[in-house]
Amino acid sequence: MQQTVTGLWELFLSAFISSTIAPGGSEAVLAYMATTGNYRIENLVFAATLGNTLGAMTTWGLGVLAAKKFPVATLLSADKQQALNVVKTRGQWALFFSWLPVVGDALCFAGGWLKLPLLSAFLIIMLGKFCRYLVIAWLFF
């Protein structure tokens, strides 16, 4: 098994970019690398998950910055503010679906904008992305 660190960094960068700047094909990169047999599957899944999660957290951070300029309290009535609090406490599991195309980035941005707890947001996002990459690796290994 000829595993290169460069290849894992390339997968990491592909996954990071796919979750931030532009829609990308980190899934295709992972699938290709898994089929070559040159990499340990757990290293591929780890690199892709870490890159994509950190990219999502970058988007989450942009949501936090946007919230400073456009705070929630100025946009919602008191009863809607209360509903927002319910979503904050029970709705952070929506971040599990941050791996979905199109809506995933918006979920991460909204999580930051709504100031969901950083650690739980990170863990939930990472769990969702890990599950996705694990399934892809399993399908193509």
Side-chain angles (χ1 to χ4, degrees), residues 72 76 78-92 114 116:
V72 175
L76 299 177
D79 58 343
K80 290 182 181 174
Q81 188 71 25
Q82 184 179 9
L84 180 63
N85 290 332
V86 172
V87 171
K88 282 182 190 178
T89 58
R90 299 175 192 235
Q92 64 186 359
L114 295 171
L116 295 179

Short mmCIF file of all heavy atoms in Angstrom, two decimals, residues 72 76 78-92 114 116:
data_model
loop_
_atom_site.label_atom_id
_atom_site.label_comp_id
_atom_site.label_asym_id
_atom_site.label_seq_id
_atom_site.Cartn_x
_atom_site.Cartn_y
_atom_site.Cartn_z
N VAL A 72 -30.19 38.98 15.57
CA VAL A 72 -31.50 38.35 15.54
C VAL A 72 -32.55 39.20 16.26
O VAL A 72 -33.66 39.35 15.78
CB VAL A 72 -31.42 36.94 16.18
CG1 VAL A 72 -32.80 36.32 16.27
CG2 VAL A 72 -30.50 36.06 15.37
N LEU A 76 -36.71 40.01 14.90
CA LEU A 76 -37.82 39.17 15.32
C LEU A 76 -38.62 39.81 16.45
O LEU A 76 -38.07 40.48 17.32
CB LEU A 76 -37.30 37.80 15.78
CG LEU A 76 -36.56 36.96 14.75
CD1 LEU A 76 -36.05 35.70 15.40
CD2 LEU A 76 -37.43 36.64 13.56
N ALA A 78 -41.01 39.43 19.92
CA ALA A 78 -40.74 38.69 21.15
C ALA A 78 -41.20 37.24 21.06
O ALA A 78 -40.49 36.32 21.48
CB ALA A 78 -41.40 39.38 22.33
N ASP A 79 -42.39 37.00 20.49
CA ASP A 79 -42.88 35.62 20.41
C ASP A 79 -42.04 34.79 19.42
O ASP A 79 -41.81 33.60 19.64
CB ASP A 79 -44.36 35.57 20.06
CG ASP A 79 -44.72 36.25 18.75
OD1 ASP A 79 -43.91 37.05 18.26
OD2 ASP A 79 -45.82 35.98 18.23
N LYS A 80 -41.57 35.43 18.37
CA LYS A 80 -40.70 34.71 17.43
C LYS A 80 -39.32 34.48 18.04
O LYS A 80 -38.67 33.48 17.74
CB LYS A 80 -40.61 35.46 16.11
CG LYS A 80 -41.91 35.41 15.34
CD LYS A 80 -41.80 36.11 14.02
CE LYS A 80 -43.15 36.05 13.29
NZ LYS A 80 -43.15 36.82 12.07
N GLN A 81 -38.90 35.40 18.88
CA GLN A 81 -37.63 35.22 19.59
C GLN A 81 -37.69 33.99 20.49
O GLN A 81 -36.75 33.23 20.56
CB GLN A 81 -37.31 36.48 20.41
CG GLN A 81 -35.94 36.50 21.02
CD GLN A 81 -34.85 36.68 20.00
OE1 GLN A 81 -35.06 37.23 18.93
NE2 GLN A 81 -33.67 36.19 20.31
N GLN A 82 -38.83 33.80 21.14
CA GLN A 82 -39.01 32.62 21.99
C GLN A 82 -38.96 31.35 21.15
O GLN A 82 -38.35 30.36 21.55
CB GLN A 82 -40.33 32.71 22.75
CG GLN A 82 -40.54 31.58 23.72
CD GLN A 82 -41.86 31.70 24.47
OE1 GLN A 82 -42.70 32.54 24.15
NE2 GLN A 82 -42.03 30.87 25.48
N ALA A 83 -39.60 31.37 19.98
CA ALA A 83 -39.56 30.21 19.09
C ALA A 83 -38.13 29.93 18.64
O ALA A 83 -37.72 28.78 18.52
CB ALA A 83 -40.47 30.45 17.89
N LEU A 84 -37.37 31.00 18.41
CA LEU A 84 -35.98 30.84 18.03
C LEU A 84 -35.18 30.13 19.12
O LEU A 84 -34.35 29.27 18.84
CB LEU A 84 -35.36 32.20 17.71
CG LEU A 84 -33.90 32.19 17.30
CD1 LEU A 84 -33.70 31.43 16.01
CD2 LEU A 84 -33.39 33.60 17.17
N ASN A 85 -35.49 30.46 20.37
CA ASN A 85 -34.82 29.80 21.49
C ASN A 85 -35.11 28.31 21.52
O ASN A 85 -34.24 27.51 21.86
CB ASN A 85 -35.20 30.46 22.81
CG ASN A 85 -34.62 31.85 22.94
OD1 ASN A 85 -33.58 32.14 22.37
ND2 ASN A 85 -35.29 32.71 23.69
N VAL A 86 -36.33 27.94 21.17
CA VAL A 86 -36.67 26.51 21.11
C VAL A 86 -35.85 25.83 20.01
O VAL A 86 -35.31 24.75 20.20
CB VAL A 86 -38.19 26.31 20.87
CG1 VAL A 86 -38.51 24.86 20.60
CG2 VAL A 86 -38.97 26.84 22.06
N VAL A 87 -35.73 26.50 18.87
CA VAL A 87 -34.94 25.94 17.77
C VAL A 87 -33.48 25.82 18.17
O VAL A 87 -32.82 24.84 17.84
CB VAL A 87 -35.10 26.80 16.49
CG1 VAL A 87 -34.13 26.36 15.41
CG2 VAL A 87 -36.53 26.74 16.00
N LYS A 88 -33.00 26.81 18.92
CA LYS A 88 -31.61 26.76 19.38
C LYS A 88 -31.35 25.53 20.23
O LYS A 88 -30.34 24.86 20.10
CB LYS A 88 -31.26 28.00 20.20
CG LYS A 88 -31.00 29.23 19.40
CD LYS A 88 -30.62 30.35 20.36
CE LYS A 88 -30.56 31.67 19.68
NZ LYS A 88 -30.25 32.76 20.61
N THR A 89 -32.27 25.24 21.14
CA THR A 89 -32.03 24.13 22.06
C THR A 89 -32.34 22.77 21.46
O THR A 89 -31.71 21.79 21.81
CB THR A 89 -32.86 24.30 23.35
OG1 THR A 89 -34.24 24.38 23.02
CG2 THR A 89 -32.42 25.52 24.11
N ARG A 90 -33.28 22.71 20.54
CA ARG A 90 -33.67 21.42 19.98
C ARG A 90 -33.31 21.26 18.52
O ARG A 90 -33.30 20.15 18.01
CB ARG A 90 -35.16 21.20 20.14
CG ARG A 90 -35.57 21.19 21.58
CD ARG A 90 -37.06 21.11 21.73
NE ARG A 90 -37.38 21.39 23.12
CZ ARG A 90 -38.09 20.57 23.86
NH1 ARG A 90 -38.56 19.46 23.36
NH2 ARG A 90 -38.34 20.88 25.10
N GLY A 91 -33.00 22.36 17.88
CA GLY A 91 -32.80 22.30 16.44
C GLY A 91 -31.38 22.20 15.96
O GLY A 91 -31.14 22.14 14.77
N GLN A 92 -30.42 22.15 16.87
CA GLN A 92 -29.05 22.10 16.41
C GLN A 92 -28.71 20.79 15.69
O GLN A 92 -27.76 20.72 14.93
CB GLN A 92 -28.06 22.37 17.54
CG GLN A 92 -28.05 21.38 18.65
CD GLN A 92 -27.15 21.84 19.78
OE1 GLN A 92 -26.54 22.90 19.70
NE2 GLN A 92 -27.07 21.06 20.83
N LEU A 114 -27.28 32.08 14.26
CA LEU A 114 -28.12 31.87 15.44
C LEU A 114 -27.31 31.65 16.71
O LEU A 114 -27.87 31.44 17.78
CB LEU A 114 -29.06 30.68 15.21
CG LEU A 114 -30.08 30.87 14.10
CD1 LEU A 114 -30.81 29.57 13.82
CD2 LEU A 114 -31.06 31.97 14.47
N LEU A 116 -25.50 29.11 17.70
CA LEU A 116 -25.59 27.80 18.34
C LEU A 116 -24.25 27.50 18.98
O LEU A 116 -23.21 27.98 18.53
CB LEU A 116 -25.94 26.73 17.30
CG LEU A 116 -27.32 26.86 16.65
CD1 LEU A 116 -27.54 25.76 15.63
CD2 LEU A 116 -28.42 26.84 17.68
#
